[in-house]
Amino acid sequence: MENVRNRKIAKNKNKKEKHDKLEELSEINQGLNETNQESNQNDEDLKGINRNIEKINDNLTKNEVMESFEESKRKLKIKSSCTLQFRIEIDFIAVILFLAALYTRFYKLEQPKYIVFDELHYGKYVSLYMKNTFFFDNHPPLGKQLIAGAAYMAGYDGKFKFDRIGSPYNEKVPLFAMRFIPAFFGSLLIPTAYYLMLETGLSKPTALLGGLLLLLDNAILTQSRFILMESMLIFFTLFGLLCVMRFKRLEMKRMGTGWLILGSAALTCGLCVKYVAFYSFCLFISIIFKDFWKKLADKKFSNVNLILNFLILTSILTIIPLIIYLTVFSVHLNLLYKAGPHDSIMTSAFQASLEGGLASITKGQPLLVAHGSQITLRHTHGRTCWLHSHAHVYPVRYPDKRGSSHQQQVTCYSFKDVNNWWIVKRPQKNDLVVEKPIDSIKHGDIIQLVHGITSRALNSHDVAAPMSPQCQEVSCYIDYNVSMPAQNLWRVEVINRDQNGDFWHTIQSLVRLIHVDSNQALKFSGRQLPEWGFHQHEVVADRIIYQDDTVWNVEEHRYTKSDDQKEREREMVSAEMIPTTATKLSFWDKFFELQYKMIFSGTESVQNHMYSSEPLEWPLMSRGIAYWISNTSNAQIHLLGNLLIWYSSTISLFLYSSLLIFYLLRRRRKCYDIPEKMYENFVLVGEVFFVGYLFHFIPYFFVERTLFLHNYLPAFIFKVLLMAGLIEHLFTLFLTKIKVKFITEMFLFLLFLWTFGIFYVFNKFLILSYGLTPLTMNDIINLRWKDTWDFIVHKH
């Protein structure tokens, strides 16, 4: 029993202990809850205290501001109304690059004091600007205007005669001022390229490398030191692309639109220097609209927003270029209002609108063409030449065994000649004298054209033309008493009668002469006749009537006074008949005519130039260009680039292409070898620099004119910047993927040796960029690193 009682006592004791523990646990939990509540309350209290502190600080700040506000209110209003705030950030790398470029470009800029290469042409144009004399060049005038502006500020009178390469300048030519503009733009393009690389996402060391490569290229240095256009062209190109890349980063924000406007203006300025900037403009547009194309797939842009963006983009890319382009040509045409040596390429109406032009030599030339008018017919568009005939006949058979009409030859002759005169005749009238009242010729009239000297009528038969067998031969009819009757009637079609009326006017009326029997138009074919045609140009009748080469206009004009042939011949031989009254052309008339001539009928290129080269020769610099050589020594200026940079950048093109193809194939297989951001930057570098290179290089394969090494320089710039971007990519690749210290160190060592080699080559060929150092024959031979380089060596 005692044991049972002891067990009960122990059991009750255990229950009590458990109960006590539970009570302790509940008390602990309750304490914890209270603690949590207190802590929460403390947090709330702390938050409240902080809010109170903030309010107090705000009140204190407000009180302090209010105390000083009333005192400075008047000053702040005055300052805010008359001052602007600017934030200036100085990039010392860009400053150093610019200063180094200034030093290399401006070092002894006035040396040599001789005409160097194309300074012959551009200096001549500057002189004509000074004398307000019209000239024709197949490139736009902005670059020449900038140089002419500098020359004008320096007091140049334009009297120096740019006669030949190597001629010495006299003291009246402000040579430093004229070479200043190209040298300054050549200096600016170095830091511009640096900033462009930064905008494409490349690092500062890489951008510095790209700037140094351009700084140390001998070809860019040489091209920047003389009165040439390429440095201005390249600067405007790079600056325009810099602006579009910055716009791409800022998008259609306020400052972003400003950068787009600035970029459009810069590239238009490049286009106004040389038309090859059109390729840069194409790159500019492709970057913008590729970015816009991506936005079309982004749902956060509404339809209204996209349409608005598109309208803004197209407006900026059309209105800004049009305004700048028209302004440049307006200045050009307003400055050049006097007749000059290049007038003959323009139409008669254009020439007669110039002060001292055709109109200044004329004496009473009649306006209306009539029966009995003695006229010269000028080919209006394209090559300057006049309808011509002479006593010689077409050969009986041509070398291809085709037979001719054996009639009197009709050609287009490029010089003033008595055989250019024709007499307008009504078919039903026998005499050639102008009667009163004057029988004027108008649109739709049928006429005959009688050659003034031989008195034979302009004719055409169903016989193939000598050089253009698809067209019909044009001749002057000779009656051989065979079964080939005359077909010498022509219908006059005045094509601009909405401006000058139906009557045929001297100079102003543009006409087509339609052969009545065959309904074919009198046409200048542009083909040169062989020796039997005295190498003059072919005239044919073409069934395709509506084309520029079928347009003619009367230039010289007089009325026939005597029906006696001998008397007429004496009048034609002795009289110089050129338009009498000055014509008045609007800016638009002159502008459109000049555009037509520049684009479709520019000056003929020099053929077989000893320093010309082909596009395939450029990447490896197979040919240079001799710019100048001293008369007393072998000191000379020769356009050659830094050989190490040119070869390395050419190799980098193939490396970049191979890597890009490799990445594209791997990503197609869902293999992502490099981080996405690294890949996007690699592609962006290619979109700007690799595509830019192709845009500026491939078109030259389709150009038929003579080309030179300096035509490659814009493409070369893109190639160099692509190489710098590729070097950064490879270096990052070695650090992130190929984590072998030895390989990375070897890459850096090779990069150092390569950079040192570039400095060495630049210094080695510096004497050919400046032309200041007399050279011996051995010196020239030591500089001839390639057999295809043609240096000039004086025999003595």
Side-chain angles (χ1 to χ4, degrees), residues 154-168:
Y156 180 48
D157 57 9
K159 294 182 179 179
F160 178 76
K161 187 178 180 180
F162 288 82
D163 51 359
R164 61 182 179 85
I165 297 174
S167 294

Side-chain angles (χ1 to χ4, degrees), residues 4 18 40 63 89 124 142 168 256 261 263 277 280 369 379 386 416 430 474 520 563 585 591 598 624 637 639 705:
V4 172
K18 288 180 180 179
N40 290 336
N63 289 333
E89 295 181 0
K124 190 178 297 182
L142 179 60
I261 293 172
S280 307
V369 178
H379 176 235
W386 292 265
K416 298 282 186 176
N430 292 324
V474 173
Q520 298 190 29
D563 200 34
L585 297 182
F591 172 75
M598 291 170 68
I637 296 170
L639 184 70
R705 62 185 175 87

